[in-house]
């Protein structure tokens, strides 16, 4: 067997394995979509069926029967947008400082950033709640935005991206009279669009799907996010699973659209960030 045949077999096996993995990953999404079009008594029939006796598209019109879905969507969108913007700004500035600027203790401070990534997320919930309570931010959307406005992962990601750029570029701009802020805004940020896109998508998905922090910090129904709304749609004795699945399908559409529009930059950012 020649080298070309071996390579062809290897690619075929890889595609088959990836295809099977993709199908497995899509099964929950397919189940949620088909369930959203069934009647309530057909959601968990055995043996399972792909669709019910009738395809009930009107289930999607019943999403707001128990909760104000548009208000939940607005709250989630506001929190996600603010979180993405703040994380991009703070992470880009921190990454530039740790990669380009030279100051005493820079590497030690960066190591502290990395150590903070090892702290379990749940450990910070109680002190964060107490701090937000003292600031009178409990039961406001700010309680979901401010605690994640700065992330060690974002600073690490942007530092790795900026370090992959030629250091001579910034030095040449400095010799020409460009300030560090000018180097950052005119040269480093435009060249870091893939990394910024990657960080933005991670931040968007994390904020959009966040459930634990809204559950702890919010009590007013007017401040409710989509994840809380989906949770509260489950009744103590019965649950309208088709309508709940309709809510799930509608809630993932914005994130899916953003990812599909920016997937090229996302893949490029993931690939380039780890090069150096």
């Amino acid at each position: 067997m020649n080298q070309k045949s071996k390579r062809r077999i290897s690619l075929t096996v890889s595609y088959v394995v990836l295809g099977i993995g993709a199908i497995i990953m899509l099964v929950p999404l397919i189940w949620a979509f088909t369930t959203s079009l069934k009647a309530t008594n057909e959601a968990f029939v055995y043996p399972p069926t792909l669709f019910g006796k009738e395809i009930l598209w009107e289930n999607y019109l019943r999403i707001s029967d128990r909760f104000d879905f548009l208000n939940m969507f607005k709250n989630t969108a506001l929190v996600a947008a603010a979180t993405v913007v703040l994380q991009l700004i703070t992470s880009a500035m921190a990454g530039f400082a740790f990669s380009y600027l030279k100051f005493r203790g820079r590497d030690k401070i960066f190591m502290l950033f990395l150590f903070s990534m090892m702290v379990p997320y749940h450990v910070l919930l109680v002190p964060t709640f107490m701090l937000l309570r003292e600031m009178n931010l409990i039961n406001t959307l700010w309680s979901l935005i401010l605690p994640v406005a700065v992330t060690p992962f974002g600073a690490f990601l942007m530092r790795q991206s900026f370090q992959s750029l030629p250091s001579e570029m910034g030095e040449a701009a400095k010799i020409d009279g460009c300030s560090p802020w000018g180097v950052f805004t005119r040269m480093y940020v435009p060249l870091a669009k893939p990394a910024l896109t990657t960080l933005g998508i991670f931040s968007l998905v994390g904020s959009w799907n966040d459930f634990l922090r809204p559950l702890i910090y919010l009590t007013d129904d007017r401040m409710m996010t989509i994840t809380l709304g989906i949770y509260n749609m489950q009744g103590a004795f019965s649950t309208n699973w088709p309508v709940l699945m309709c809510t799930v399908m509608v809630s993932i559409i914005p994130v899916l659209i953003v990812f599909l529009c920016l997937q090229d930059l996302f893949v490029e950012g993931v690939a380039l960030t780890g090069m150096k």
Side-chain angles (χ1 to χ4, degrees):
M1 185 179 294
N2 55 28
Q3 190 70 23
K4 187 176 181 180
S5 299
K6 291 182 179 179
R7 187 168 180 271
R8 185 178 301 171
I9 293 175
S10 177
L11 288 175
T12 302
V13 173
S14 300
Y15 288 145
V16 171
V17 172
L18 290 175
I20 294 174
I23 293 174
I24 294 175
M25 294 294 293
L26 287 175
V27 166
L29 184 63
I30 296 173
W31 177 85
F33 175 69
T34 57
T35 303
S36 69
L37 301 177
K38 296 179 180 180
T40 305
N41 59 352
E42 297 175 334
F44 296 103
V45 296
Y46 186 84
T49 58
L50 189 60
F51 292 102
K53 296 179 180 179
E54 296 183 16
I55 298 179
L56 303 178
W57 292 101
E58 56 268 23
N59 286 340
Y60 284 87
L61 301 178
R62 301 174 57 191
I63 291 178
S64 298
D65 285 353
R66 290 185 58 191
F67 298 98
D68 189 353
F69 178 78
L70 292 179
N71 185 64
M72 294 190 302
F73 188 92
K74 181 193 70 174
N75 293 337
T76 307
L78 287 175
V79 172
T83 301
V84 169
V85 171
L86 289 176
Q87 284 194 13
L88 290 181
I89 294 174
T90 58
S91 298
M93 295 177 68
F96 177 76
F98 287 133
S99 62
Y100 177 79
L101 301 181
K102 295 179 176 60
F103 53 90
R104 179 180 295 180
R106 183 187 70 175
D107 294 337
K108 294 181 179 179
I109 296 175
F110 181 70
M111 289 301 298
L112 289 177
F113 263 71
L114 295 184
F115 286 146
S116 65
M117 294 175 60
M118 303 177 187
V119 178
Y121 165 71
H122 304 84
V123 173
L124 303 177
L125 287 176
V126 173
T128 302
F129 178 86
M130 297 176 64
L131 179 62
L132 292 173
R133 184 180 59 186
E134 294 298 323
M135 298 172 64
N136 295 321
L137 293 179
I138 293 296
N139 204 32
T140 66
L141 296 182
W142 287 110
S143 63
L144 306 180
I145 299 172
L146 293 181
V148 292
V150 180
T151 61
F153 172 76
F156 169 75
L157 184 69
M158 295 310 302
R159 176 183 179 271
Q160 296 303 107
S161 175
F162 288 146
Q163 281 194 333
S164 65
L165 301 177
S167 59
E168 294 81 5
M169 180 181 63
E171 297 298 330
K174 185 178 180 180
I175 293 175
D176 291 339
C178 191
S179 65
W181 179 254
V183 174
F184 171 66
T185 56
R186 298 179 183 180
M187 303 182 68
Y188 273 61
V189 170
L191 293 175
K193 286 182 179 179
L196 289 171
T197 301
T198 302
L199 177 60
I201 291 178
F202 281 140
S203 175
L204 174 64
V205 173
S207 177
W208 195 272
N209 296 330
D210 191 12
F211 169 71
L212 189 57
R213 289 189 304 117
L215 180 65
I216 295 176
Y217 301 151
L218 302 178
T219 57
D220 191 347
D221 289 345
R222 294 174 298 176
M223 298 291 106
M224 190 181 298
T225 58
I226 290 179
T227 52
L228 277 183
I230 294 174
Y231 173 74
N232 289 330
M233 288 178 70
Q234 301 181 55
F237 302 101
S238 63
T239 301
N240 193 331
W241 289 103
V243 176
L244 190 150
M245 290 300 114
C246 290
T247 309
V248 171
M249 295 304 301
V250 173
S251 66
I252 67 176
I253 290 177
V255 178
L256 185 62
I257 291 176
V258 171
F259 176 77
L260 292 178
C261 293
L262 302 176
Q263 60 178 330
D264 292 339
L265 288 173
F266 175 78
V267 174
E268 183 180 355
V270 172
L272 294 180
T273 302
M275 288 182 61
K276 183 174 180 180

